[in-house]
């Protein structure tokens, strides 16, 4: 149904803003696999946005090349290019004078879809992002909450089923609870649609939670490390990456390890129970809260102690040796 | 002292309605022309510093010129009647319309324009379907200000045989001392006031119904 | 460094571009006038003493009426503000709207009909015409002062009178001055109309020129009055910039 993602290749991309001495992005090379969700994280002003916007040519690179699905984007008409790249910005940017339906229909209209096809697509997308079309389609943006607006922003970017999505801190302006909810919905959605997504954030937690791979960026968009969340947490490439991860790396890593990956002790029916498909972090959480010695994994397969959890974490620190 | 007002009105109400309609027509025509011109100028200059400053400064100076002076300068070239009237009304309408077009367009948040461009809208399409509609409430306010200005100036234009209610005001002056002088000047002036208030009210409605519901507060 | 000088240059252009342009226009006007051979009718008006007299009349009318407006309308605006009554406010704003809708030429001519023609009628009608906008600007300017600022001043122990003089009026001054500037420019225009009721001024030249079909007379009258309007607006702008409290 939905178009699967395609690969993106940036090689030796540099951006020097007019009138500036130093490049905002310098010699940036990165290859993104089809269907992959890559997170750009880094401190404010390091060039995340600039790097991302060169892909849809909102910002023109000074040098280097960018290809999408093997096609050089610099050789394409920028407007045509952008109609096939979903784009979500931090301020959401819903057009206040258009209804929600009209907002979502923007790109299909530019592409000359029939009215019927457009309407069907709008309904389908609203349902996809958990908004009832009967209630929301004819409202205006100001009549929606911040979280609802964010969802519409995502729906609008998905409208023409683009193989590639660029998202610049799309959940940045929401409160922590809404944000977690949006993230969870977004992960579920991505599992269905499998787009190639570049997602900018400066929240490392968010990067760990969502990303297939994370590019930790330093000054001038220098890639300090580009790897899976688990690998970055287990083996930060340098001090810069470690300091960026900050405290709580262990907890973040535990959140990435499902209980099913760990060797269990014998079941203990008297211990508090944790779901079999939760993470080690949930198990630890339960241990701390209840003060129990062990937690029982429901389904009766076994149980976990503090020591087991620590061992699993240490094993994950050296994944290469362990495998 | 003077002929009674009700007799005066009974005798001349048809005349008065005609003059009121003429007044309305010349104002409407001038506003229509000024809107097209003013928005066009606004579109050309709003995002370029030097032309924008030049246009706004020129319009700001232009609007201080007394209307009788402008009408007098125009009449040897354009003759009498509608032509100098319309040209001068357009002239005075330009400042509020150009200024508000520029302000309105500059107030459109940059991220909305970027959103539109990021979705693959061409610059022209972005201007027409995002920037102009968002700036529209401000532009309408400019046209409304211009309307108030021109209703009054049109009254002076009767001096160069322009159409409208100014005719009665000047008739009052020329028949100074006669029984009907006050009646002429008074009805002329009051009808201009009423027309101005009516037009202002109409603009409240126009602004309301030509603005997207999503932009109304 | 260079950016600063550039900025200064631009400010200088803004400051002195206008009078420079006016001087150029006037120079061109008088050069053109010098190249014409005038007939006897034209000579009666296009001579120095006539021009100076008309200009004086025009300026006196403009400045006197604006001064009167400032003396009357600003205190009235302050009073309207201080009674803090919704009804008074609605009355002032409503009256202001009607005033704005009233054609100046109507006011001038009506007053001449019910009273008399001449300078004083013109003066009174000018004052009447410019009174309302200045009154309204004074009221809205004072109302716009941030409530928190006002409360802070009261909290420091200032009396209402001190709050008015030290806080509210300085903060409202840009809006009040803008109203006065508008009134000044209005006055130049309305003073032109004063010719209709025999109050003199440069309108005389325009009207005579039209009546006698003498184009040079019209042009000189119109350009002079336009130059006065532009210069007065410019000067008022300078005063506005100078008087505005620093930091606003
Ligand atoms: N339009 C522009 N013109 C000139 N310089 C710019 C422009 N946009 C960004 N920069 C500069 O380029 C650098 C990188 O900016 P960028 O917006 O890419 O940072 P970012 O990593 O997205 O930061 P943030 O997390 O704050 O959004 C900054 O130093 C910024 O000042
Ligand atoms: Mg950014």
């Amino acid at each position: 149904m939905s178009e699967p993602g395609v690969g993106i290749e940036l090689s030796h991309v540099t951006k020097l803003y007019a009138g500036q001495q130093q490049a905002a992005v310098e010699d940036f090379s990165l290859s993104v696999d089809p269907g992959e969700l890559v997170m750009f994280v880094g401190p404010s002003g390091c060039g995340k946005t600039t790097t991302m916007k060169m892909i849809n040519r909102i910002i023109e690179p000074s040098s280097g090349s960018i290809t999408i699905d093997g096609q050089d984007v610099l050789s394409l008409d920028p407007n045509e290019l952008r109609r096939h790249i979903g784009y979500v910005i931090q301020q959401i940017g819903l057009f206040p004078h258009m209804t929600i339906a009209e907002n979502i229909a923007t790109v299909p209209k530019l592409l000359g879809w029939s009215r019927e096809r457009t309407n069907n697509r709008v309904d389908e997308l609203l349902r996809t992002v958990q908004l009832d079309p009967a209630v929301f389609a004819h409202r205006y943006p100001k009549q929606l909450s911040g979280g609802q607006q964010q969802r519409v922003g995502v729906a609008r970017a998905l409208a023409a089923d683009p193989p590639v999505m660029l998202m610049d801190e799309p959940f940045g302006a929401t409160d922590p609870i809404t944000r977690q909810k949006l993230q969870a919905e977004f992960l579920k959605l991505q599992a269905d649609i499998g787009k190639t997504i570049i997602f900018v954030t400066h929240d490392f937690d968010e990067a760990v939670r969502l990303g297939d791979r994370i590019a930790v960026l330093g000054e001038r968009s220098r890639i300090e490390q580009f790897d899976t969340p688990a690998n970055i947490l287990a083996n930060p490439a340098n001090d810069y990456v470690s300091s960026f991860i900050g405290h709580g790396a262990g907890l973040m890593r535990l959140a990435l390890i499902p209980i099913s990956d760990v060797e269990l002790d014998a079941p203990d029916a008297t211990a508090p129970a944790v779901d079999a498909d939760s993470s080690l972090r949930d198990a630890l959480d339960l241990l701390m809260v209840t003060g129990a010695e062990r937690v029982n994994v429901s389904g009766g397969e076994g149980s976990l102690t503090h020591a087991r959890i620590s061992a699993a974490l240490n094993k994950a620190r050296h994944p290469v040796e362990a495998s | 002292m003077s002929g009674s007002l009700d007799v005066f009105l009974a005798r001349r109400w048809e005349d008065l309605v005609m003059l009121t309609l003429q007044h309305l027509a010349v104002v409407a025509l001038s506003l229509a022309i000024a809107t097209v011109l003013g928005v066009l100028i606004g579109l050309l200059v709003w995002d370029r510093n030097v032309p924008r400053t030049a246009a706004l400064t020129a319009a700001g100076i232009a609007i201080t010129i007394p209307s009788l002076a402008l009408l007098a300068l125009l009449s040897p070239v354009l003759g009498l009647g509608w032509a100098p009237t319309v040209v001068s009304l357009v002239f005075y309408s330009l400042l509020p319309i150009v200024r508000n077009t520029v302000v309105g367009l500059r107030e459109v948040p940059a991220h909305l324009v970027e959103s539109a461009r990021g979705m693959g809208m061409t610059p022209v399409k972005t201007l027409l379907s995002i920037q102009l509609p968002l700036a529209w409430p401000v532009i309408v306010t400019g046209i409304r200000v211009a309307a108030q200005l021109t209703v009054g100036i049109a009254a002076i234009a009767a001096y160069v045989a322009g159409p409208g209610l100014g005719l009665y005001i000047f008739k009052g002056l020329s028949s100074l001392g006669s029984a009907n002088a006050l009646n002429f000047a008074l009805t002329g002036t009051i009808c201009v006031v009423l027309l101005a208030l009516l037009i202002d009210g109409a603009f409240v409605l126009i602004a309301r119904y030509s603005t997207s519901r999503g932009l109304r507060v | 460094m260079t950016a600063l000088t550039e900025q200064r240059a631009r400010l200088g252009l803004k400051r002195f571009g206008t009078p420079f342009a006016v001087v150029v226009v006037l120079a061109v006007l008088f050069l053109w006038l010098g190249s014409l051979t005038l007939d006897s009718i034209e000579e009666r008006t296009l001579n120095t003493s006539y021009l100076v007299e008309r200009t004086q009349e025009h300026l006196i009318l403009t400045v006197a009426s604006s001064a009167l407006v400032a003396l009357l309308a600003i205190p009235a605006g302050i009073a309207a503000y201080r009674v803090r009554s919704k009804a008074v406010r609605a009355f002032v704003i409503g009256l202001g709207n009607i005033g704005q809708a009233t054609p100046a030429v109507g006011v001038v001519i009506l007053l001449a009909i019910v009273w008399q023609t001449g300078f004083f009628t013109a003066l009174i009608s000018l004052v009447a015409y410019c009174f309302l906008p200045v009154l309204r600007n004074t009221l809205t300017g004072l109302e716009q002062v941030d409530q928190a600022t006002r409360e802070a001043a009261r909290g420091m122990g200032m009396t209402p009178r001190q709050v008015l003089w030290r806080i509210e009026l300085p903060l409202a001054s840009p809006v009040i001055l803008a109203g006065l500037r508008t009134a000044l420019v209005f006055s130049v225009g309305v003073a032109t109309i004063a010719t209709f009721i025999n109050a003199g001024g440069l309108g005389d030249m325009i009207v005579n020129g039209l009546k006698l079909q003498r184009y040079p007379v019209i042009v000189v009258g119109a350009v002079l009055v336009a130059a006065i309007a532009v210069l007065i607006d410019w000067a008022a702008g300078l005063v506005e910039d100078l008087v505005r409290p620093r930091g606003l």
Side-chain angles (χ1 to χ4, degrees):
Chain A
M1 174 85 222
S2 129
E3 195 174 329
V6 296
I8 303 173
E9 189 87 43
L10 294 99
S11 69
H12 306 292
V13 176
T14 293
K15 175 67 193 182
L16 182 64
Y17 283 110
Q20 285 185 3
Q21 305 285 316
Q22 276 211 334
V25 175
E26 198 168 279
D27 197 27
F28 184 93
S29 299
L30 185 89
S31 144
V32 180
D33 296 334
E36 195 177 23
L37 173 43
V38 167
M39 310 292 292
F40 285 0
V41 277
S44 186
C46 72
K48 306 179 293 290
T49 299
T50 305
T51 307
M52 193 196 79
K53 284 183 184 170
M54 285 192 282
I55 297 171
N56 66 352
R57 290 178 63 188
I58 289 283
I59 294 173
E60 294 284 353
S62 308
S63 65
S65 80
I66 302 171
T67 63
I68 295 179
D69 200 18
Q71 259 198 315
D72 179 9
V73 300
L74 293 174
S75 69
L76 300 172
D77 169 49
N79 296 320
E80 196 53 40
L81 168 76
R82 292 177 193 144
R83 289 171 198 176
H84 301 281
I85 298 178
Y87 186 47
V88 187
I89 58 175
Q90 177 170 357
Q91 304 93 328
I92 320 178
L94 296 185
F95 304 133
H97 61 306
M98 297 182 181
T99 62
I100 300 309
E102 285 166 347
N103 263 286
I104 298 177
T106 307
V107 175
K109 268 190 200 149
L110 287 171
L111 291 171
W113 288 17
S114 72
R115 180 183 293 255
E116 197 196 334
R117 183 174 171 209
T118 307
N119 289 345
N120 290 339
R121 181 66 180 158
V122 168
D123 280 7
E124 180 190 341
L125 278 167
L126 278 174
R127 267 184 238 106
T128 310
V129 296
Q130 327 259 330
L131 294 172
D132 180 0
V135 177
F136 291 99
H138 299 292
R139 286 206 190 170
Y140 285 90
K142 66 168 185 196
Q143 297 165 317
L144 266 57
S145 73
Q148 289 166 340
Q149 290 185 17
Q150 296 280 9
R151 291 190 189 131
V152 175
V154 173
R156 184 173 71 169
L158 283 169
D161 200 15
V164 171
M165 301 260 284
L166 305 177
M167 310 178 83
D168 192 355
E169 307 195 28
F171 308 140
T174 42
D175 62 89
I177 294 176
T178 312
R179 185 171 221 206
Q180 285 205 4
K181 204 167 145 208
L182 288 168
Q183 286 169 344
E185 280 173 21
F186 177 69
L187 269 183
K188 249 194 260 163
L189 179 65
Q190 167 65 354
D192 282 349
I193 57 182
K195 303 288 181 196
T196 307
I197 299 174
I198 292 184
F199 190 122
V200 169
T201 180
H202 52 236
D203 174 359
F204 197 76
D205 253 334
E206 180 168 73
V208 169
R209 189 165 308 155
L210 299 182
D212 293 324
R213 281 197 285 175
I214 299 175
V216 182
L217 304 183
E219 249 172 66
R220 273 159 280 141
S221 222
R222 212 177 81 129
I223 302 178
E224 302 289 345
Q225 191 168 11
F226 181 42
D227 209 330
T228 61
N231 284 346
I232 290 180
L233 286 169
N235 303 304
N238 51 35
D239 288 350
Y240 178 88
V241 177
S242 313
S243 74
F244 201 76
I245 295 169
H247 299 295
L251 283 177
M252 281 190 241
R253 285 168 54 209
L254 283 179
L256 291 171
I257 307 174
I259 291 178
S260 50
D261 278 12
V262 184
E263 255 179 82
L264 299 174
D265 296 334
D268 176 358
T270 62
V274 65
D275 236 25
D277 54 3
S278 340
S279 69
L280 285 185
R281 184 172 175 165
D282 301 317
L284 181 67
D285 198 43
L286 195 66
L287 277 178
M288 302 308 292
V289 168
T290 58
E293 217 140 81
R294 58 175 67 236
V295 288
N296 198 35
V297 179
S298 59
E301 295 114 21
S303 63
L304 273 171
T305 58
H306 238 287
R308 277 284 177 211
I309 293 173
S310 294
L313 194 59
N314 283 326
K315 197 170 126 194
R317 186 185 295 280
H318 311 289
V320 186
E321 297 157 43
S323 59
Chain B
M1 44 165 252
S2 57
S4 78
L5 190 60
D6 49 333
V7 176
F8 177 87
L9 283 179
R11 285 243 306 272
R12 301 185 190 262
W13 70 269
E14 277 184 344
D15 209 18
L16 208 56
V17 168
M18 220 264 297
L19 287 176
T20 308
L21 289 179
Q22 269 186 5
H23 207 105
L24 179 65
V26 77
V27 165
L29 175 67
S30 309
L31 283 180
I33 297 172
T35 300
V36 172
L37 264 179
V39 172
L40 219 62
I41 295 173
L43 284 177
L44 287 177
V45 304
W46 76 276
D47 63 344
R48 277 175 285 175
N49 279 327
V50 175
R52 179 182 63 236
T53 314
L56 291 182
T57 311
I61 290 175
I63 209 167
T64 61
I65 296 173
S67 42
L68 187 65
L70 182 66
L71 286 163
L73 283 174
L74 289 174
S75 68
V77 188
L78 297 172
L80 299 174
W82 280 73
T85 308
V86 170
V87 170
S88 61
L89 295 193
V90 169
F91 182 87
Y92 289 111
S93 300
L94 281 178
L95 173 69
I97 297 177
V98 172
R99 186 186 49 205
N100 280 36
T101 305
V102 166
V103 170
L105 287 172
R106 277 163 72 88
E107 273 175 1
V108 174
H111 70 259
L112 292 184
V113 176
E114 190 191 307
S115 245
R117 301 285 285 124
M119 292 162 86
M121 282 194 195
T122 60
V124 173
K125 172 89 178 152
T126 308
L127 193 63
L128 293 181
S129 63
I130 307 295
Q131 290 164 289
L132 263 187
L134 290 177
W136 183 245
V138 185
I139 299 176
V140 176
T141 307
I143 304 173
R144 183 174 163 189
V145 171
Q148 291 300 297
L149 211 60
T150 47
V151 172
I153 295 174
I156 297 175
Y159 193 73
V160 292
L165 291 159
L167 181 69
Y168 265 35
I169 299 177
F170 281 102
K171 254 191 193 164
L173 180 70
S174 61
S175 53
L176 194 70
S178 86
N180 266 334
L182 183 59
N183 286 335
F184 272 120
L186 198 61
T187 44
T189 305
I190 287 177
C191 283
V192 173
V193 173
L194 291 179
L195 188 63
L197 294 176
L198 221 67
I199 290 177
D200 209 41
F203 266 101
V204 174
L205 294 181
I206 291 173
R208 186 173 169 77
Y209 288 104
S210 64
T211 301
S212 157
R213 257 200 313 132
L215 294 179
R216 285 184 220 149
V217 272
Chain C
M1 209 39 209
T2 50
L4 200 68
T5 43
E6 203 176 284
Q7 201 183 348
R8 284 225 187 96
R10 208 177 300 152
L11 207 68
L13 195 70
K14 201 182 140 203
R15 284 260 152 106
F16 299 106
T18 307
F20 181 72
V22 170
V23 168
V24 169
V25 168
L26 289 180
V28 170
L29 178 76
F30 286 108
L31 279 179
W32 171 72
L33 203 58
S35 73
L36 295 177
T37 38
L38 304 175
D39 62 22
S40 64
I41 296 178
E42 287 164 351
E43 267 170 2
R44 220 175 298 146
T45 54
L46 293 178
N47 61 66
T48 315
S49 69
Y50 183 90
L51 290 181
V52 168
E53 264 171 47
R54 294 292 87 75
T55 306
Q56 269 176 357
E57 284 167 1
H58 208 106
L59 283 176
I60 289 172
L61 200 50
T62 302
V63 172
S65 66
S66 296
L68 274 175
V69 165
L71 280 177
L72 296 173
I74 294 177
I78 295 173
Y81 168 70
R82 296 200 76 183
V83 297
R84 288 175 205 277
S85 132
K86 281 228 172 81
V88 169
R89 193 196 128 76
F91 181 72
V92 168
I93 300 286
L95 209 63
N97 285 338
I98 293 178
Q100 197 182 9
T102 311
V105 63
V107 176
V108 172
I109 289 176
L110 271 176
L111 206 58
I113 292 172
V114 299
W115 189 30
Q116 62 180 49
T117 58
F119 176 82
F120 278 103
T121 312
L123 186 66
I124 301 296
S125 52
L126 268 167
V127 171
Y129 192 69
C130 296
F131 182 82
L132 287 170
V134 176
L135 171 65
R136 191 166 61 166
N137 268 39
T138 306
L139 180 61
T140 52
L142 286 168
E143 280 174 349
Q144 269 170 16
V145 175
D146 187 18
Q147 187 59 36
T149 312
R150 208 174 277 138
E151 263 168 37
R154 293 287 284 138
M156 289 174 200
M158 287 192 197
T159 64
R161 179 179 295 270
Q162 285 170 327
V163 175
L164 178 71
W165 282 101
R166 299 197 188 161
I167 309 294
E168 292 176 320
L169 276 177
L171 287 176
S173 62
V175 183
I176 299 175
L177 285 174
L180 270 180
R181 181 178 175 182
T182 314
L184 258 173
V185 175
F186 262 175
S187 304
V188 179
V190 182
T192 320
I193 299 170
T195 178
F196 294 137
I197 60 167
N198 299 327
L202 287 162
D204 279 5
M205 292 186 71
I206 296 173
V207 167
N208 286 338
L210 279 172
K211 273 192 196 137
L212 305 170
Q213 306 244 332
R214 291 299 187 279
Y215 196 51
V217 179
I218 302 178
V219 171
V220 172
V223 171
L224 273 183
V225 85
I228 289 177
V230 171
L231 280 181
I232 282 195
D233 183 55
W234 169 80
L238 272 193
V239 172
E240 249 181 50
D241 283 349
L242 289 178
V243 175
R244 177 180 306 135
R246 298 274 152 81
L248 275 188

